[in-house]
PDB file of all heavy atoms in Angstrom:
ATOM      1  N   THR A  50      16.925 -72.286-125.186  1.00 98.00           N
ATOM      2  CA  THR A  50      17.362 -72.218-123.856  1.00 98.00           C
ATOM      3  C   THR A  50      17.882 -73.545-123.373  1.00 98.00           C
ATOM      4  O   THR A  50      17.577 -74.573-123.911  1.00 98.00           O
ATOM      5  CB  THR A  50      16.249 -71.767-122.843  1.00 98.00           C
ATOM      6  OG1 THR A  50      15.148 -72.683-122.996  1.00 98.00           O
ATOM      7  CG2 THR A  50      15.738 -70.335-123.178  1.00 98.00           C
ATOM      8  N   VAL A  51      18.735 -73.502-122.341  1.00 98.00           N
ATOM      9  CA  VAL A  51      19.237 -74.735-121.727  1.00 98.00           C
ATOM     10  C   VAL A  51      18.993 -74.739-120.210  1.00 98.00           C
ATOM     11  O   VAL A  51      18.955 -73.625-119.620  1.00 98.00           O
ATOM     12  CB  VAL A  51      20.763 -74.914-122.000  1.00 98.00           C
ATOM     13  CG1 VAL A  51      21.027 -75.298-123.417  1.00 98.00           C
ATOM     14  CG2 VAL A  51      21.531 -73.705-121.604  1.00 98.00           C
ATOM     15  N   PRO A  52      18.803 -75.909-119.606  1.00 98.00           N
ATOM     16  CA  PRO A  52      18.511 -75.876-118.138  1.00 98.00           C
ATOM     17  C   PRO A  52      19.742 -75.557-117.338  1.00 98.00           C
ATOM     18  O   PRO A  52      20.879 -75.797-117.751  1.00 98.00           O
ATOM     19  CB  PRO A  52      18.132 -77.325-117.924  1.00 98.00           C
ATOM     20  CG  PRO A  52      18.525 -78.151-119.063  1.00 98.00           C
ATOM     21  CD  PRO A  52      18.746 -77.222-120.223  1.00 98.00           C
ATOM     22  N   LYS A  53      19.484 -74.898-116.228  1.00 98.00           N
ATOM     23  CA  LYS A  53      20.608 -74.529-115.333  1.00 98.00           C
ATOM     24  C   LYS A  53      20.077 -74.716-113.869  1.00 98.00           C
ATOM     25  O   LYS A  53      18.944 -74.269-113.575  1.00 98.00           O
ATOM     26  CB  LYS A  53      20.957 -73.106-115.599  1.00 98.00           C
ATOM     27  CG  LYS A  53      22.032 -72.582-114.671  1.00 98.00           C
ATOM     28  CD  LYS A  53      22.290 -71.046-114.839  1.00 98.00           C
ATOM     29  CE  LYS A  53      23.353 -70.637-113.885  1.00 98.00           C
ATOM     30  NZ  LYS A  53      23.589 -69.186-113.886  1.00 98.00           N
ATOM     31  N   THR A  54      20.859 -75.339-113.065  1.00 98.00           N
ATOM     32  CA  THR A  54      20.446 -75.488-111.669  1.00 98.00           C
ATOM     33  C   THR A  54      20.759 -74.249-110.879  1.00 98.00           C
ATOM     34  O   THR A  54      21.865 -73.743-110.954  1.00 98.00           O
ATOM     35  CB  THR A  54      21.170 -76.718-111.034  1.00 98.00           C
ATOM     36  OG1 THR A  54      20.896 -77.853-111.842  1.00 98.00           O
ATOM     37  CG2 THR A  54      20.717 -76.995-109.643  1.00 98.00           C
ATOM     38  N   VAL A  55      19.726 -73.682-110.189  1.00 98.00           N
ATOM     39  CA  VAL A  55      19.957 -72.548-109.333  1.00 98.00           C
ATOM     40  C   VAL A  55      19.333 -72.811-107.948  1.00 98.00           C
ATOM     41  O   VAL A  55      18.459 -73.664-107.824  1.00 98.00           O
ATOM     42  CB  VAL A  55      19.285 -71.246-109.917  1.00 98.00           C
ATOM     43  CG1 VAL A  55      19.974 -70.812-111.180  1.00 98.00           C
ATOM     44  CG2 VAL A  55      17.822 -71.332-110.075  1.00 98.00           C
ATOM     45  N   THR A  62      16.472 -75.677-107.809  1.00 98.00           N
ATOM     46  CA  THR A  62      15.488 -75.880-108.826  1.00 98.00           C
ATOM     47  C   THR A  62      16.121 -75.709-110.195  1.00 98.00           C
ATOM     48  O   THR A  62      17.266 -75.289-110.284  1.00 98.00           O
ATOM     49  CB  THR A  62      14.308 -74.845-108.730  1.00 98.00           C
ATOM     50  OG1 THR A  62      13.269 -75.229-109.649  1.00 98.00           O
ATOM     51  CG2 THR A  62      14.719 -73.388-109.038  1.00 98.00           C
ATOM     52  N   THR A  63      15.442 -76.119-111.203  1.00 98.00           N
ATOM     53  CA  THR A  63      15.944 -75.961-112.579  1.00 98.00           C
ATOM     54  C   THR A  63      15.375 -74.738-113.206  1.00 98.00           C
ATOM     55  O   THR A  63      14.118 -74.557-113.203  1.00 98.00           O
ATOM     56  CB  THR A  63      15.524 -77.202-113.440  1.00 98.00           C
ATOM     57  OG1 THR A  63      16.026 -78.381-112.785  1.00 98.00           O
ATOM     58  CG2 THR A  63      16.158 -77.090-114.832  1.00 98.00           C
ATOM     59  N   ALA A  64      16.251 -73.855-113.711  1.00 98.00           N
ATOM     60  CA  ALA A  64      15.820 -72.623-114.406  1.00 98.00           C
ATOM     61  C   ALA A  64      16.356 -72.777-115.807  1.00 98.00           C
ATOM     62  O   ALA A  64      17.064 -73.754-116.131  1.00 98.00           O
ATOM     63  CB  ALA A  64      16.328 -71.394-113.711  1.00 98.00           C
ATOM     64  N   TYR A  65      16.059 -71.867-116.673  1.00 98.00           N
ATOM     65  CA  TYR A  65      16.515 -71.917-118.104  1.00 98.00           C
ATOM     66  C   TYR A  65      17.232 -70.633-118.540  1.00 98.00           C
ATOM     67  O   TYR A  65      16.696 -69.512-118.162  1.00 98.00           O
ATOM     68  CB  TYR A  65      15.315 -72.186-119.016  1.00 98.00           C
ATOM     69  CG  TYR A  65      14.795 -73.576-118.749  1.00 98.00           C
ATOM     70  CD1 TYR A  65      13.836 -73.797-117.724  1.00 98.00           C
ATOM     71  CD2 TYR A  65      15.255 -74.678-119.445  1.00 98.00           C
ATOM     72  CE1 TYR A  65      13.360 -75.087-117.409  1.00 98.00           C
ATOM     73  CE2 TYR A  65      14.788 -75.948-119.130  1.00 98.00           C
ATOM     74  CZ  TYR A  65      13.874 -76.176-118.117  1.00 98.00           C
ATOM     75  OH  TYR A  65      13.413 -77.411-117.823  1.00 98.00           O
ATOM     76  N   VAL A  66      18.354 -70.755-119.211  1.00 98.00           N
ATOM     77  CA  VAL A  66      19.050 -69.577-119.658  1.00 98.00           C
ATOM     78  C   VAL A  66      19.293 -69.736-121.167  1.00 98.00           C
ATOM     79  O   VAL A  66      19.209 -70.861-121.736  1.00 98.00           O
ATOM     80  CB  VAL A  66      20.418 -69.474-118.924  1.00 98.00           C
ATOM     81  CG1 VAL A  66      20.206 -69.191-117.412  1.00 98.00           C
ATOM     82  CG2 VAL A  66      21.260 -70.699-119.117  1.00 98.00           C
ATOM     83  N   LEU A  67      19.596 -68.617-121.829  1.00 98.00           N
ATOM     84  CA  LEU A  67      19.850 -68.693-123.263  1.00 98.00           C
ATOM     85  C   LEU A  67      21.021 -69.573-123.578  1.00 98.00           C
ATOM     86  O   LEU A  67      22.038 -69.578-122.916  1.00 98.00           O
ATOM     87  CB  LEU A  67      20.133 -67.292-123.815  1.00 98.00           C
ATOM     88  CG  LEU A  67      18.993 -66.216-123.804  1.00 98.00           C
ATOM     89  CD1 LEU A  67      19.481 -64.926-124.427  1.00 98.00           C
ATOM     90  CD2 LEU A  67      17.788 -66.756-124.523  1.00 98.00           C
ATOM     91  N   GLU A  68      20.820 -70.427-124.601  1.00 98.00           N
ATOM     92  CA  GLU A  68      21.873 -71.381-124.979  1.00 98.00           C
ATOM     93  C   GLU A  68      23.088 -70.705-125.530  1.00 98.00           C
ATOM     94  O   GLU A  68      24.253 -71.058-125.212  1.00 98.00           O
ATOM     95  CB  GLU A  68      21.360 -72.320-126.037  1.00 98.00           C
ATOM     96  CG  GLU A  68      22.239 -73.414-126.449  1.00 98.00           C
ATOM     97  CD  GLU A  68      21.746 -74.237-127.632  1.00 98.00           C
ATOM     98  OE1 GLU A  68      21.199 -73.685-128.582  1.00 98.00           O
ATOM     99  OE2 GLU A  68      21.842 -75.461-127.498  1.00 98.00           O
TER     100      GLU A  68
END
Side-chain angles (χ1 to χ4, degrees):
T50 56
V51 288
K53 178 186 179 187
T54 303
V55 294
T62 190
T63 304
Y65 294 85
V66 295
L67 292 184
E68 182 186 46

